[in-house]
Structure formats: C-alpha cells, structure tokens
Amino acid sequence: DITGGGYIISQDELEETVWNNTSFNNCGTSANTAIGTGQTNTDLIIDSDGADAKAASYANDYTNDGYADWFLPSTMELATAMLSEAVVTNANINLNANYWTSTENPTSPFISAYVCIPDANYSAISTLTEGKLADTGNIIGNTNPINAKAVREF
C-alpha cells in the first residue's frame, strides 16, 4: 500500500486440511471478505470453533523468521495476492490446488467457507458466488480437506 505496508504469504502450506471439524458452527465471518479482515476472521473462527478450527489454527500458530503474527486470509486478501505472478511464484502457490480463506459463505455459513482457486493467467477473480469465487464451481464444505496458506501484515 502507499504507507509501505502489505502482506506476506507463507511459502509453506498446510495440505489437505479441513476448515473445521464440525460443519454446524457460524463463526460470524461471512461479511468479512475485504482486505484487512483476515486477522479478525481468524480470531473469530478460533474463538468459536476452538480445537476444531483447523485451517485458522494452522495459520494462527504458524511461525517463520521469528514472526508469529500470521492468520488465515480473508477472501479478498488471498484473491488479490493471487493476481500477481510474482506472489504466486514466491509463495509457492500450487495452481492446481484450492485454498481456504477465513470468510464463511454467507448463504450457508454453518457448512461452507469461501475458497480461492489460483488462475494460471493471474486474471482478476473478485465476484463472490456460492461458497467459492466466481467461475470456480461448487461449494466446498467446511469438512472437505483442501490447502491453507498463512499470511501476515507488515
């Protein structure tokens, strides 16, 4: 951003994790899609789901280079990062994988959350639809295992 801050995406990732182990919890993150809401979402998920908050706990507990202030990104935090080929390359984002965000699906927050799917052309993906970003297909239920990335602000 213009103040010199931004986001760092972990090069490591948690492969094949669930969003949570219980699919019937509304954590209150469905309205929080914007850049700047991932940390709040992560806190809400962990407060609501405790030990069942697998993807959020992974991000929250992640440490690297002495930093321990990581979180599960909101939909737009992760989607915006995926628009940059350099970010996708440097963060080791798998173009064949789906990635959890900290934003619940507003039409069914008890059972699904938004997912970002990288695009090999790094094209803009910003319109939200049922459970996932536009042009990405089906709803992903919270108990389906997919990948997760941790991010931090600087």
Side-chain angles (χ1 to χ4, degrees):
D1 69 16
I2 61 171
T3 62
Y7 290 91
I8 297 172
I9 300 176
S10 63
Q11 290 184 323
D12 301 320
E13 67 185 53
L14 182 61
E15 295 180 14
E16 301 296 313
T17 190
V18 297
W19 201 77
N20 68 12
N21 284 334
T22 57
S23 60
F24 302 107
N25 227 358
N26 182 343
C27 301
T29 69
S30 62
N32 300 338
T33 62
I35 292 173
T37 59
Q39 180 67 67
T40 299
N41 287 353
T42 300
D43 295 341
L44 287 168
I45 295 164
I46 292 170
D47 288 347
S48 176
D49 289 352
D52 287 334
K54 297 302 183 187
S57 291
Y58 158 76
N60 188 67
D61 296 343
Y62 182 77
T63 58
N64 191 337
D65 289 333
Y67 294 100
D69 56 347
W70 301 80
F71 55 91
L72 188 65
S74 71
T75 302
M76 294 314 298
E77 286 166 342
L78 190 55
T80 300
M82 288 182 176
L83 298 179
S84 166
E85 181 176 3
V87 170
V88 169
T89 301
N90 290 331
N92 297 322
I93 293 175
N94 181 346
L95 292 176
N96 297 310
N98 300 323
Y99 289 90
W100 285 122
T101 73
S102 61
T103 307
E104 293 171 295
N105 176 357
T107 59
S108 58
F110 296 100
I111 60 168
S112 62
Y114 284 123
V115 172
C116 284
I117 300 175
D119 182 296
N121 297 316
Y122 313 101
S123 59
I125 304 172
S126 60
T127 306
L128 300 176
T129 60
E130 282 285 309
K132 297 173 91 174
L133 292 174
D135 304 322
T136 59
N138 302 321
I139 291 173
I140 295 288
N142 292 352
T143 58
N144 290 325
I146 63 172
N147 296 0
K149 283 281 191 183
V151 303
R152 66 178 294 273
E153 292 184 67
F154 66 91

